Amino acid sequence: MSRLVVVSNRVALPRDRSARAGGLAVGVLSALKRAHGLWLGWSGETTETPAEEPRLIKSGGITYATIDFTSAEFDAYYNGYCNSTLWPLLHYRLGLVEHSRQNQDAYMRINARFADHLAKLIRPDDIVWVHDYQLMALPGELRARGLKNRIGFFLHIPLPGPEIFCALPAHGLLMRSLAQCDLVGFQTAPDLRAFRDYAQYEAGGQLRNGTIEMFGRTLHAGVFPIGIDVDEMQELAAEAEHEEETRRLVDSLNGRHLIIGVDRLDYSKGILGRIDAVGDLLSSHPDYRNRITFVQIAAPSRIDVRRYRSLRREIEATAGRVNGRHAEIDWVPVRYLNRVFPRRQLAGFYRVARLGLVTPLRDGMNMVAKEYVAAQRGDDPGVLVLSRFAGAAREMSGALIVNPFDTVEVAEAIDRGLRMPVEERRERWTELMAVLKRNDLAHWSGGFLKELTDPHRAAA
Ligand code: ADQ
């Protein structure tokens, strides 16, 4: 069996695999274990004198290879190009894009450095799986170093159509690089369509027999919606339900309905509109006063990026405004917690929440929507209110699907969810669980790797 080599911006090292490690880490780890693989990525450390060679750690059959950045590199590549240019652009937020040639150059340099390191570690029959928007230039850099290996790339976040993507000065460079892959994977059909549109209408390429021809290459592209480890989440939630933190939360509710939102603190997640929707609900349905509690948990994220700092202040102000308007002497409608919780505690919180509110303005997939559903009790499940702009909405039609830009519509969906009879909740939950189990995490990584290693699908 060929060795699997995973490359991602961050590596989840065994020693600091926090209680938070989920999604990607869990998904690729099981595949890496099976294939005695190698995982290359940034260590999470900055130093003024990065080592010449990656640091190698072997554990549980996997080799971890980590590299460091200087703080200036981290700032230009990660805070700058990745998170102030690519992230807003790929989430359809042209107005938030900040661009500089300096940051673009830093991105290309860091991608080239990843390629230098990988070229030294790679064996001829290794399969390479590159992850996400931080490393879009890597496949091209690897081919430029003569690598003939199978290369797959998976984009965890959305890809907008060429009308938006071409606002990026380096759009051609990045797409030329992706064209060097054998397989490019996306979360949803619209992302794949955007890629095909780019090939056809921007690169002058062609779609033929399920392949994409562009920039002189023929490659495959497909949709591989990422899932969760459903059994793990169900077990965690069932156990955590009876543990202290969950009991404290339930006791504090005093019989009120719990509505929960859990996100990284990010403008793509629609947290501001969500808090406003709760305010709208209390204005339009005053009978909910003192009968609901909305807990919004937002993990600090990208705190060195200006836009993220200002969003944090805006969320505080919005929660304060809604509470100031609707709170009573013995009740506040919105509890806002700006911190990370262990996965186990989150699972318990999901379990006791009568409604999960997942309203991103744009999201590649959104794991929280899936975690919330998996954490429910089958006999008395809660209701998921889900944005149509989350990739998850494509699979999770059993949720109440909303337009997050319309806070009145979101408020009405909350009302409907809270009033929903248990029979309908069970029916929707059963339908949702069938999808989650079918498209779980193992199905995602297995499906991608199966297609990447398919002997009939070598790119040319
Ligand atoms: P993210 O944008 O990080 O991921 P998401 O899919 O929601 O978004 O995953 C967040 C993860 O972090 C979840 O597992 C959640 O439980 C956890 N989390 C969030 N807040 C937390 C908190 N306060 N404490 C502890 N844990 C917390 C990107 C894309 C998504 C895509 C994933 C995977 O933006 O669209 O679903 O990658 O491909």
Side-chain angles (χ1 to χ4, degrees), residues 211-245:
T211 63
I212 297 176
E213 294 179 13
M214 68 168 158
F215 302 126
R217 295 263 308 170
T218 305
L219 68 148
H220 287 86
V223 175
F224 304 87
I226 194 168
I228 61 164
D229 184 337
V230 181
D231 296 339
E232 181 234 25
M233 182 46 70
Q234 280 192 300
E235 276 163 36
L236 272 184
E239 288 164 15
E241 182 177 3
H242 307 291
E243 289 170 4
E244 197 203 332
E245 285 298 297

PDB file of all heavy atoms in Angstrom, residues 211-245:
ATOM      1  N   THR A 211     -13.889  14.887 -16.943  1.00  0.00           N
ATOM      2  CA  THR A 211     -12.602  15.482 -16.551  1.00  0.00           C
ATOM      3  C   THR A 211     -12.602  16.968 -16.900  1.00  0.00           C
ATOM      4  O   THR A 211     -13.459  17.456 -17.640  1.00  0.00           O
ATOM      5  CB  THR A 211     -11.414  14.832 -17.304  1.00  0.00           C
ATOM      6  OG1 THR A 211     -11.584  15.096 -18.698  1.00  0.00           O
ATOM      7  CG2 THR A 211     -11.321  13.352 -17.039  1.00  0.00           C
ATOM      8  N   ILE A 212     -11.635  17.656 -16.347  1.00  0.00           N
ATOM      9  CA  ILE A 212     -11.480  19.082 -16.646  1.00  0.00           C
ATOM     10  C   ILE A 212     -10.132  19.264 -17.352  1.00  0.00           C
ATOM     11  O   ILE A 212      -9.106  18.776 -16.862  1.00  0.00           O
ATOM     12  CB  ILE A 212     -11.498  19.906 -15.340  1.00  0.00           C
ATOM     13  CG1 ILE A 212     -12.853  19.754 -14.647  1.00  0.00           C
ATOM     14  CG2 ILE A 212     -11.180  21.380 -15.619  1.00  0.00           C
ATOM     15  CD1 ILE A 212     -12.958  20.442 -13.315  1.00  0.00           C
ATOM     16  N   GLU A 213     -10.196  19.920 -18.469  1.00  0.00           N
ATOM     17  CA  GLU A 213      -8.926  20.224 -19.153  1.00  0.00           C
ATOM     18  C   GLU A 213      -8.673  21.711 -19.013  1.00  0.00           C
ATOM     19  O   GLU A 213      -9.500  22.528 -19.446  1.00  0.00           O
ATOM     20  CB  GLU A 213      -9.042  19.872 -20.641  1.00  0.00           C
ATOM     21  CG  GLU A 213      -9.210  18.388 -20.888  1.00  0.00           C
ATOM     22  CD  GLU A 213      -9.354  18.065 -22.386  1.00  0.00           C
ATOM     23  OE1 GLU A 213      -9.084  18.958 -23.215  1.00  0.00           O
ATOM     24  OE2 GLU A 213      -9.754  16.932 -22.679  1.00  0.00           O
ATOM     25  N   MET A 214      -7.562  22.057 -18.396  1.00  0.00           N
ATOM     26  CA  MET A 214      -7.171  23.472 -18.368  1.00  0.00           C
ATOM     27  C   MET A 214      -5.673  23.600 -18.160  1.00  0.00           C
ATOM     28  O   MET A 214      -5.050  22.734 -17.565  1.00  0.00           O
ATOM     29  CB  MET A 214      -7.956  24.274 -17.320  1.00  0.00           C
ATOM     30  CG  MET A 214      -7.701  23.978 -15.884  1.00  0.00           C
ATOM     31  SD  MET A 214      -8.467  25.287 -14.873  1.00  0.00           S
ATOM     32  CE  MET A 214      -8.646  24.445 -13.324  1.00  0.00           C
ATOM     33  N   PHE A 215      -5.145  24.681 -18.666  1.00  0.00           N
ATOM     34  CA  PHE A 215      -3.722  24.971 -18.567  1.00  0.00           C
ATOM     35  C   PHE A 215      -2.885  23.756 -18.996  1.00  0.00           C
ATOM     36  O   PHE A 215      -1.877  23.412 -18.357  1.00  0.00           O
ATOM     37  CB  PHE A 215      -3.338  25.395 -17.147  1.00  0.00           C
ATOM     38  CG  PHE A 215      -4.082  26.608 -16.657  1.00  0.00           C
ATOM     39  CD1 PHE A 215      -4.794  26.579 -15.459  1.00  0.00           C
ATOM     40  CD2 PHE A 215      -4.058  27.792 -17.377  1.00  0.00           C
ATOM     41  CE1 PHE A 215      -5.467  27.699 -15.005  1.00  0.00           C
ATOM     42  CE2 PHE A 215      -4.730  28.931 -16.926  1.00  0.00           C
ATOM     43  CZ  PHE A 215      -5.443  28.868 -15.747  1.00  0.00           C
ATOM     44  N   GLY A 216      -3.344  23.058 -20.030  1.00  0.00           N
ATOM     45  CA  GLY A 216      -2.557  21.947 -20.573  1.00  0.00           C
ATOM     46  C   GLY A 216      -2.603  20.687 -19.734  1.00  0.00           C
ATOM     47  O   GLY A 216      -1.820  19.757 -19.963  1.00  0.00           O
ATOM     48  N   ARG A 217      -3.484  20.620 -18.747  1.00  0.00           N
ATOM     49  CA  ARG A 217      -3.591  19.428 -17.905  1.00  0.00           C
ATOM     50  C   ARG A 217      -5.012  18.872 -17.961  1.00  0.00           C
ATOM     51  O   ARG A 217      -5.960  19.608 -18.220  1.00  0.00           O
ATOM     52  CB  ARG A 217      -3.307  19.793 -16.435  1.00  0.00           C
ATOM     53  CG  ARG A 217      -1.912  20.254 -16.172  1.00  0.00           C
ATOM     54  CD  ARG A 217      -1.030  19.156 -15.661  1.00  0.00           C
ATOM     55  NE  ARG A 217      -1.615  18.462 -14.508  1.00  0.00           N
ATOM     56  CZ  ARG A 217      -1.124  17.348 -14.010  1.00  0.00           C
ATOM     57  NH1 ARG A 217      -0.072  16.775 -14.559  1.00  0.00           N
ATOM     58  NH2 ARG A 217      -1.682  16.766 -12.960  1.00  0.00           N
ATOM     59  N   THR A 218      -5.137  17.581 -17.701  1.00  0.00           N
ATOM     60  CA  THR A 218      -6.462  16.968 -17.589  1.00  0.00           C
ATOM     61  C   THR A 218      -6.570  16.401 -16.185  1.00  0.00           C
ATOM     62  O   THR A 218      -5.723  15.605 -15.781  1.00  0.00           O
ATOM     63  CB  THR A 218      -6.611  15.822 -18.603  1.00  0.00           C
ATOM     64  OG1 THR A 218      -6.335  16.358 -19.899  1.00  0.00           O
ATOM     65  CG2 THR A 218      -8.020  15.250 -18.588  1.00  0.00           C
ATOM     66  N   LEU A 219      -7.577  16.842 -15.446  1.00  0.00           N
ATOM     67  CA  LEU A 219      -7.676  16.393 -14.053  1.00  0.00           C
ATOM     68  C   LEU A 219      -9.110  16.081 -13.698  1.00  0.00           C
ATOM     69  O   LEU A 219     -10.042  16.418 -14.446  1.00  0.00           O
ATOM     70  CB  LEU A 219      -7.102  17.431 -13.104  1.00  0.00           C
ATOM     71  CG  LEU A 219      -7.864  18.746 -12.979  1.00  0.00           C
ATOM     72  CD1 LEU A 219      -7.702  19.294 -11.569  1.00  0.00           C
ATOM     73  CD2 LEU A 219      -7.337  19.763 -13.990  1.00  0.00           C
ATOM     74  N   HIS A 220      -9.295  15.444 -12.533  1.00  0.00           N
ATOM     75  CA  HIS A 220     -10.626  15.157 -12.022  1.00  0.00           C
ATOM     76  C   HIS A 220     -10.960  16.123 -10.895  1.00  0.00           C
ATOM     77  O   HIS A 220     -10.062  16.587 -10.185  1.00  0.00           O
ATOM     78  CB  HIS A 220     -10.703  13.720 -11.494  1.00  0.00           C
ATOM     79  CG  HIS A 220     -10.718  12.708 -12.586  1.00  0.00           C
ATOM     80  ND1 HIS A 220      -9.567  12.210 -13.141  1.00  0.00           N
ATOM     81  CD2 HIS A 220     -11.742  12.128 -13.250  1.00  0.00           C
ATOM     82  CE1 HIS A 220      -9.882  11.353 -14.095  1.00  0.00           C
ATOM     83  NE2 HIS A 220     -11.190  11.283 -14.186  1.00  0.00           N
ATOM     84  N   ALA A 221     -12.236  16.377 -10.740  1.00  0.00           N
ATOM     85  CA  ALA A 221     -12.690  17.187  -9.608  1.00  0.00           C
ATOM     86  C   ALA A 221     -14.013  16.609  -9.152  1.00  0.00           C
ATOM     87  O   ALA A 221     -14.772  16.064  -9.965  1.00  0.00           O
ATOM     88  CB  ALA A 221     -12.854  18.645 -10.028  1.00  0.00           C
ATOM     89  N   GLY A 222     -14.291  16.702  -7.856  1.00  0.00           N
ATOM     90  CA  GLY A 222     -15.530  16.093  -7.370  1.00  0.00           C
ATOM     91  C   GLY A 222     -16.008  16.721  -6.079  1.00  0.00           C
ATOM     92  O   GLY A 222     -15.341  17.585  -5.500  1.00  0.00           O
ATOM     93  N   VAL A 223     -17.176  16.252  -5.643  1.00  0.00           N
ATOM     94  CA  VAL A 223     -17.788  16.761  -4.412  1.00  0.00           C
ATOM     95  C   VAL A 223     -17.650  15.691  -3.329  1.00  0.00           C
ATOM     96  O   VAL A 223     -18.056  14.547  -3.528  1.00  0.00           O
ATOM     97  CB  VAL A 223     -19.283  17.072  -4.652  1.00  0.00           C
ATOM     98  CG1 VAL A 223     -19.967  17.490  -3.359  1.00  0.00           C
ATOM     99  CG2 VAL A 223     -19.428  18.163  -5.708  1.00  0.00           C
ATOM    100  N   PHE A 224     -17.057  16.078  -2.210  1.00  0.00           N
ATOM    101  CA  PHE A 224     -16.842  15.166  -1.083  1.00  0.00           C
ATOM    102  C   PHE A 224     -17.222  15.891   0.205  1.00  0.00           C
ATOM    103  O   PHE A 224     -16.350  16.462   0.879  1.00  0.00           O
ATOM    104  CB  PHE A 224     -15.354  14.746  -1.004  1.00  0.00           C
ATOM    105  CG  PHE A 224     -14.834  14.126  -2.273  1.00  0.00           C
ATOM    106  CD1 PHE A 224     -14.310  14.935  -3.291  1.00  0.00           C
ATOM    107  CD2 PHE A 224     -14.877  12.755  -2.472  1.00  0.00           C
ATOM    108  CE1 PHE A 224     -13.836  14.376  -4.471  1.00  0.00           C
ATOM    109  CE2 PHE A 224     -14.408  12.197  -3.645  1.00  0.00           C
ATOM    110  CZ  PHE A 224     -13.885  13.000  -4.647  1.00  0.00           C
ATOM    111  N   PRO A 225     -18.518  15.913   0.543  1.00  0.00           N
ATOM    112  CA  PRO A 225     -18.924  16.671   1.729  1.00  0.00           C
ATOM    113  C   PRO A 225     -18.331  16.067   3.011  1.00  0.00           C
ATOM    114  O   PRO A 225     -18.488  14.871   3.250  1.00  0.00           O
ATOM    115  CB  PRO A 225     -20.454  16.564   1.723  1.00  0.00           C
ATOM    116  CG  PRO A 225     -20.782  15.438   0.808  1.00  0.00           C
ATOM    117  CD  PRO A 225     -19.640  15.258  -0.134  1.00  0.00           C
ATOM    118  N   ILE A 226     -17.656  16.870   3.788  1.00  0.00           N
ATOM    119  CA  ILE A 226     -17.023  16.343   5.006  1.00  0.00           C
ATOM    120  C   ILE A 226     -18.101  16.033   6.042  1.00  0.00           C
ATOM    121  O   ILE A 226     -19.108  16.737   6.132  1.00  0.00           O
ATOM    122  CB  ILE A 226     -15.953  17.324   5.553  1.00  0.00           C
ATOM    123  CG1 ILE A 226     -15.068  16.636   6.596  1.00  0.00           C
ATOM    124  CG2 ILE A 226     -16.570  18.577   6.130  1.00  0.00           C
ATOM    125  CD1 ILE A 226     -13.818  17.446   6.975  1.00  0.00           C
ATOM    126  N   GLY A 227     -17.894  14.945   6.784  1.00  0.00           N
ATOM    127  CA  GLY A 227     -18.852  14.552   7.816  1.00  0.00           C
ATOM    128  C   GLY A 227     -18.200  14.534   9.183  1.00  0.00           C
ATOM    129  O   GLY A 227     -17.063  14.966   9.349  1.00  0.00           O
ATOM    130  N   ILE A 228     -18.922  14.005  10.158  1.00  0.00           N
ATOM    131  CA  ILE A 228     -18.363  13.905  11.510  1.00  0.00           C
ATOM    132  C   ILE A 228     -18.325  12.435  11.914  1.00  0.00           C
ATOM    133  O   ILE A 228     -18.918  11.584  11.260  1.00  0.00           O
ATOM    134  CB  ILE A 228     -19.194  14.694  12.540  1.00  0.00           C
ATOM    135  CG1 ILE A 228     -20.626  14.148  12.624  1.00  0.00           C
ATOM    136  CG2 ILE A 228     -19.207  16.174  12.219  1.00  0.00           C
ATOM    137  CD1 ILE A 228     -21.369  14.607  13.860  1.00  0.00           C
ATOM    138  N   ASP A 229     -17.631  12.161  13.010  1.00  0.00           N
ATOM    139  CA  ASP A 229     -17.661  10.829  13.601  1.00  0.00           C
ATOM    140  C   ASP A 229     -18.932  10.768  14.454  1.00  0.00           C
ATOM    141  O   ASP A 229     -18.960  11.237  15.588  1.00  0.00           O
ATOM    142  CB  ASP A 229     -16.394  10.628  14.445  1.00  0.00           C
ATOM    143  CG  ASP A 229     -16.312   9.223  15.024  1.00  0.00           C
ATOM    144  OD1 ASP A 229     -17.368   8.571  15.145  1.00  0.00           O
ATOM    145  OD2 ASP A 229     -15.197   8.792  15.358  1.00  0.00           O
ATOM    146  N   VAL A 230     -19.988  10.232  13.866  1.00  0.00           N
ATOM    147  CA  VAL A 230     -21.322  10.288  14.488  1.00  0.00           C
ATOM    148  C   VAL A 230     -21.349   9.517  15.807  1.00  0.00           C
ATOM    149  O   VAL A 230     -21.874  10.007  16.814  1.00  0.00           O
ATOM    150  CB  VAL A 230     -22.391   9.722  13.515  1.00  0.00           C
ATOM    151  CG1 VAL A 230     -23.774   9.782  14.124  1.00  0.00           C
ATOM    152  CG2 VAL A 230     -22.372  10.500  12.207  1.00  0.00           C
ATOM    153  N   ASP A 231     -20.763   8.311  15.809  1.00  0.00           N
ATOM    154  CA  ASP A 231     -20.804   7.496  17.041  1.00  0.00           C
ATOM    155  C   ASP A 231     -20.097   8.209  18.180  1.00  0.00           C
ATOM    156  O   ASP A 231     -20.574   8.221  19.310  1.00  0.00           O
ATOM    157  CB  ASP A 231     -20.119   6.139  16.806  1.00  0.00           C
ATOM    158  CG  ASP A 231     -20.879   5.332  15.759  1.00  0.00           C
ATOM    159  OD1 ASP A 231     -22.063   5.634  15.548  1.00  0.00           O
ATOM    160  OD2 ASP A 231     -20.277   4.426  15.164  1.00  0.00           O
ATOM    161  N   GLU A 232     -18.945   8.820  17.856  1.00  0.00           N
ATOM    162  CA  GLU A 232     -18.177   9.506  18.911  1.00  0.00           C
ATOM    163  C   GLU A 232     -19.013  10.624  19.523  1.00  0.00           C
ATOM    164  O   GLU A 232     -19.096  10.769  20.745  1.00  0.00           O
ATOM    165  CB  GLU A 232     -16.879  10.068  18.323  1.00  0.00           C
ATOM    166  CG  GLU A 232     -16.008  10.767  19.335  1.00  0.00           C
ATOM    167  CD  GLU A 232     -15.602  12.203  18.964  1.00  0.00           C
ATOM    168  OE1 GLU A 232     -16.318  12.867  18.183  1.00  0.00           O
ATOM    169  OE2 GLU A 232     -14.597  12.671  19.482  1.00  0.00           O
ATOM    170  N   MET A 233     -19.675  11.408  18.676  1.00  0.00           N
ATOM    171  CA  MET A 233     -20.460  12.538  19.190  1.00  0.00           C
ATOM    172  C   MET A 233     -21.658  12.040  19.993  1.00  0.00           C
ATOM    173  O   MET A 233     -21.984  12.588  21.037  1.00  0.00           O
ATOM    174  CB  MET A 233     -20.892  13.424  18.017  1.00  0.00           C
ATOM    175  CG  MET A 233     -21.666  14.671  18.382  1.00  0.00           C
ATOM    176  SD  MET A 233     -21.015  15.674  19.751  1.00  0.00           S
ATOM    177  CE  MET A 233     -19.533  16.386  19.058  1.00  0.00           C
ATOM    178  N   GLN A 234     -22.282  10.953  19.543  1.00  0.00           N
ATOM    179  CA  GLN A 234     -23.432  10.415  20.281  1.00  0.00           C
ATOM    180  C   GLN A 234     -23.011   9.928  21.671  1.00  0.00           C
ATOM    181  O   GLN A 234     -23.677  10.208  22.662  1.00  0.00           O
ATOM    182  CB  GLN A 234     -24.047   9.245  19.509  1.00  0.00           C
ATOM    183  CG  GLN A 234     -24.952   9.720  18.391  1.00  0.00           C
ATOM    184  CD  GLN A 234     -25.774   8.586  17.813  1.00  0.00           C
ATOM    185  OE1 GLN A 234     -25.217   7.621  17.308  1.00  0.00           O
ATOM    186  NE2 GLN A 234     -27.086   8.692  17.896  1.00  0.00           N
ATOM    187  N   GLU A 235     -21.865   9.242  21.710  1.00  0.00           N
ATOM    188  CA  GLU A 235     -21.380   8.746  23.007  1.00  0.00           C
ATOM    189  C   GLU A 235     -21.018   9.889  23.934  1.00  0.00           C
ATOM    190  O   GLU A 235     -21.403   9.928  25.099  1.00  0.00           O
ATOM    191  CB  GLU A 235     -20.146   7.863  22.809  1.00  0.00           C
ATOM    192  CG  GLU A 235     -20.493   6.438  22.475  1.00  0.00           C
ATOM    193  CD  GLU A 235     -19.312   5.698  21.883  1.00  0.00           C
ATOM    194  OE1 GLU A 235     -18.158   5.954  22.302  1.00  0.00           O
ATOM    195  OE2 GLU A 235     -19.536   4.870  20.969  1.00  0.00           O
ATOM    196  N   LEU A 236     -20.257  10.854  23.393  1.00  0.00           N
ATOM    197  CA  LEU A 236     -19.842  12.005  24.210  1.00  0.00           C
ATOM    198  C   LEU A 236     -21.062  12.696  24.811  1.00  0.00           C
ATOM    199  O   LEU A 236     -21.103  13.019  26.002  1.00  0.00           O
ATOM    200  CB  LEU A 236     -19.115  13.041  23.336  1.00  0.00           C
ATOM    201  CG  LEU A 236     -17.621  12.923  23.123  1.00  0.00           C
ATOM    202  CD1 LEU A 236     -17.135  14.116  22.312  1.00  0.00           C
ATOM    203  CD2 LEU A 236     -16.882  12.869  24.453  1.00  0.00           C
ATOM    204  N   ALA A 237     -22.072  12.916  23.967  1.00  0.00           N
ATOM    205  CA  ALA A 237     -23.243  13.673  24.413  1.00  0.00           C
ATOM    206  C   ALA A 237     -24.028  12.900  25.466  1.00  0.00           C
ATOM    207  O   ALA A 237     -24.476  13.472  26.461  1.00  0.00           O
ATOM    208  CB  ALA A 237     -24.139  13.994  23.210  1.00  0.00           C
ATOM    209  N   ALA A 238     -24.158  11.580  25.249  1.00  0.00           N
ATOM    210  CA  ALA A 238     -24.924  10.777  26.208  1.00  0.00           C
ATOM    211  C   ALA A 238     -24.224  10.782  27.567  1.00  0.00           C
ATOM    212  O   ALA A 238     -24.867  10.865  28.614  1.00  0.00           O
ATOM    213  CB  ALA A 238     -25.080   9.361  25.675  1.00  0.00           C
ATOM    214  N   GLU A 239     -22.886  10.729  27.547  1.00  0.00           N
ATOM    215  CA  GLU A 239     -22.148  10.735  28.821  1.00  0.00           C
ATOM    216  C   GLU A 239     -22.195  12.120  29.454  1.00  0.00           C
ATOM    217  O   GLU A 239     -22.464  12.277  30.643  1.00  0.00           O
ATOM    218  CB  GLU A 239     -20.680  10.350  28.580  1.00  0.00           C
ATOM    219  CG  GLU A 239     -20.489   8.880  28.246  1.00  0.00           C
ATOM    220  CD  GLU A 239     -19.122   8.604  27.635  1.00  0.00           C
ATOM    221  OE1 GLU A 239     -18.221   9.490  27.726  1.00  0.00           O
ATOM    222  OE2 GLU A 239     -18.966   7.529  27.055  1.00  0.00           O
ATOM    223  N   ALA A 240     -21.928  13.128  28.638  1.00  0.00           N
ATOM    224  CA  ALA A 240     -21.789  14.492  29.185  1.00  0.00           C
ATOM    225  C   ALA A 240     -23.118  15.027  29.728  1.00  0.00           C
ATOM    226  O   ALA A 240     -23.124  15.909  30.591  1.00  0.00           O
ATOM    227  CB  ALA A 240     -21.260  15.431  28.100  1.00  0.00           C
ATOM    228  N   GLU A 241     -24.220  14.475  29.264  1.00  0.00           N
ATOM    229  CA  GLU A 241     -25.529  14.964  29.713  1.00  0.00           C
ATOM    230  C   GLU A 241     -25.638  14.933  31.235  1.00  0.00           C
ATOM    231  O   GLU A 241     -26.291  15.787  31.835  1.00  0.00           O
ATOM    232  CB  GLU A 241     -26.631  14.096  29.086  1.00  0.00           C
ATOM    233  CG  GLU A 241     -28.019  14.557  29.470  1.00  0.00           C
ATOM    234  CD  GLU A 241     -29.121  13.737  28.795  1.00  0.00           C
ATOM    235  OE1 GLU A 241     -28.796  12.764  28.070  1.00  0.00           O
ATOM    236  OE2 GLU A 241     -30.285  14.087  28.993  1.00  0.00           O
ATOM    237  N   HIS A 242     -24.991  13.943  31.844  1.00  0.00           N
ATOM    238  CA  HIS A 242     -25.157  13.791  33.293  1.00  0.00           C
ATOM    239  C   HIS A 242     -23.987  14.394  34.067  1.00  0.00           C
ATOM    240  O   HIS A 242     -23.894  14.234  35.276  1.00  0.00           O
ATOM    241  CB  HIS A 242     -25.303  12.303  33.627  1.00  0.00           C
ATOM    242  CG  HIS A 242     -26.400  11.679  32.811  1.00  0.00           C
ATOM    243  ND1 HIS A 242     -27.728  11.991  33.021  1.00  0.00           N
ATOM    244  CD2 HIS A 242     -26.369  10.833  31.753  1.00  0.00           C
ATOM    245  CE1 HIS A 242     -28.460  11.339  32.134  1.00  0.00           C
ATOM    246  NE2 HIS A 242     -27.671  10.644  31.348  1.00  0.00           N
ATOM    247  N   GLU A 243     -23.079  15.048  33.366  1.00  0.00           N
ATOM    248  CA  GLU A 243     -21.901  15.590  34.062  1.00  0.00           C
ATOM    249  C   GLU A 243     -22.158  17.002  34.565  1.00  0.00           C
ATOM    250  O   GLU A 243     -23.125  17.664  34.177  1.00  0.00           O
ATOM    251  CB  GLU A 243     -20.688  15.498  33.128  1.00  0.00           C
ATOM    252  CG  GLU A 243     -20.278  14.044  32.964  1.00  0.00           C
ATOM    253  CD  GLU A 243     -19.232  13.818  31.880  1.00  0.00           C
ATOM    254  OE1 GLU A 243     -18.749  14.807  31.283  1.00  0.00           O
ATOM    255  OE2 GLU A 243     -18.916  12.645  31.634  1.00  0.00           O
ATOM    256  N   GLU A 244     -21.215  17.460  35.402  1.00  0.00           N
ATOM    257  CA  GLU A 244     -21.484  18.666  36.183  1.00  0.00           C
ATOM    258  C   GLU A 244     -21.789  19.913  35.357  1.00  0.00           C
ATOM    259  O   GLU A 244     -22.749  20.623  35.628  1.00  0.00           O
ATOM    260  CB  GLU A 244     -20.304  18.925  37.119  1.00  0.00           C
ATOM    261  CG  GLU A 244     -20.711  19.889  38.226  1.00  0.00           C
ATOM    262  CD  GLU A 244     -19.515  20.603  38.833  1.00  0.00           C
ATOM    263  OE1 GLU A 244     -18.411  20.010  38.805  1.00  0.00           O
ATOM    264  OE2 GLU A 244     -19.693  21.740  39.308  1.00  0.00           O
ATOM    265  N   GLU A 245     -20.960  20.147  34.304  1.00  0.00           N
ATOM    266  CA  GLU A 245     -21.150  21.397  33.548  1.00  0.00           C
ATOM    267  C   GLU A 245     -22.540  21.447  32.898  1.00  0.00           C
ATOM    268  O   GLU A 245     -23.183  22.489  32.857  1.00  0.00           O
ATOM    269  CB  GLU A 245     -20.079  21.514  32.463  1.00  0.00           C
ATOM    270  CG  GLU A 245     -18.718  21.893  32.981  1.00  0.00           C
ATOM    271  CD  GLU A 245     -18.714  23.267  33.644  1.00  0.00           C
ATOM    272  OE1 GLU A 245     -18.987  24.261  32.950  1.00  0.00           O
ATOM    273  OE2 GLU A 245     -18.436  23.332  34.863  1.00  0.00           O
TER     274      GLU A 245
END
